[in-house]
Amino acid sequence: MTRHRPRSRRRLLPSLLLCSAAALALTGCGPDPDEPWSGPYVNATAYPHFDFGTEAAGQSHTVLGFVVADPEEPCTPSWGGYYGLDEAETTLRMEEQIAALRESGGDVVVSFGGAAGSELATACSDPDALFEAYRTVLDRYEVPVVDFDIEYDDLEDQDANRRRAEVLERLQEERDEPLETWVTLPVAPHGLDQDSVEVVAQLLAAGADLAGVNLMTMNYSESRPAGQSMVAASEEAARSAHGQLTALWDAAGQDLSEEQVWNRIGLTPMIGVNDVAGEIVDPAAAGELNDFAREQGLGRLSFWSLNRDRPCTAEHGDPAEANDFCSGLEEETGEFTRVLSRGLED
């Protein structure tokens, strides 16, 4: 989800398990995976390095992006293609920061893929090596929730999508504990495009237990009708995707109610100034999206990104252009986090 390029295209409160701080740090015991949740994405490899262990404290989930294939070793996982897992431990303080989040009562979601680099299933054609690559990451960080952010070339690679689906089913089958699994896909007001539909269909056909589909409600470009607000476009996209996903789960032999399908949908807006000119999500719009998520009983509400949840300063350049380190709006630091998590964090 790192800086997307333009593309056409119940109110239930999450509960925290009662764990000691020591148990949280050691076991990852934290939020109930069956409850709807809110959690920002973090651009974990952005420089200057981001102190997500402090900045995300208090959130039930923090989504760390992105694990991709090492550019020189396609079956080896890396953070952003820049840091191997051992290097990330020292340079990014990855384990230290994850432990800090767990001590504060939350947990992490590891996101594979994103807009930059190659998702492991695309780069690694050996299913057994791919299985080991994913398992290495999940075991190292004791991950209870995983996210696959599938975009661009990764999205269009049918062989990779089948390979990922089959390996994911193997991973879930071998684990003693459930692995809550989300797939994050681009969306337009008219819904998911055919490549995205195929990704979901392949996951279900492989027998993977899919917790939900997270919709990137951002960068609509020409798919958003002139004059339609970002909130209206996002709500329309969610309703369109709801119909598509109902049909997909039905075709896979899962007869889900309307409410159950809503609970398997997530939304992820890009806060502030988006990559597409004229697309802006301000705190008021974020509040409307939060209302929509709670009213419909969505399973997840995220945003891109926690790094950006602050006003720009002179060192960040033109606030009218999307920036990796600030929203481009006059806001209080952390305002989007507070607004988007309202009623979903306790």
Side-chain angles (χ1 to χ4, degrees), residues 4 32 36 62 96 108 172 178 228 265 274 293 309 315 318-319 340:
H4 293 72
D32 183 343
T62 301
E96 176 187 337
V108 295
Q172 291 177 328
Q228 185 180 45
I265 291 175
N274 284 212
D309 192 7
E315 66 180 351
D318 186 355
L340 287 165

Side-chain angles (χ1 to χ4, degrees), residues 12-14 36-40 56-61 269 271 283 286-287 289-291 293-294 300-303 306 309 334-346:
L12 296 173
L13 300 179
W37 55 270
S38 170
Q59 296 297 301
S60 69
H61 295 69
I271 60 173
L289 290 174
N290 173 273
D291 290 341
R294 290 186 293 123
R300 170 182 173 185
L301 184 60
S302 297
F303 66 89
L306 188 62
D309 192 7
E335 185 171 0
F336 282 99
T337 302
R338 292 188 292 273
V339 170
L340 287 165
S341 66
R342 187 181 63 230
L344 295 170
E345 301 288 339
D346 193 30

Side-chain angles (χ1 to χ4, degrees), residues 95-109:
E95 277 86 345
E96 176 187 337
Q97 297 203 71
I98 289 173
L101 290 180
R102 288 173 174 159
E103 287 169 3
S104 72
D107 214 331
V108 295
V109 180

Side-chain angles (χ1 to χ4, degrees), residues 47-101:
Y47 187 83
H49 300 313
F50 188 66
D51 186 6
F52 65 83
T54 298
E55 298 285 347
Q59 296 297 301
S60 69
H61 295 69
T62 301
V63 189
L64 304 180
F66 293 97
V67 172
V68 298
D70 184 295
E72 297 181 358
E73 299 179 18
C75 294
T76 299
S78 72
W79 284 99
Y82 304 114
Y83 308 99
L85 303 190
D86 289 340
E87 189 177 3
E89 180 175 9
T90 55
T91 305
L92 302 178
R93 301 170 32 244
M94 190 63 68
E95 277 86 345
E96 176 187 337
Q97 297 203 71
I98 289 173
L101 290 180

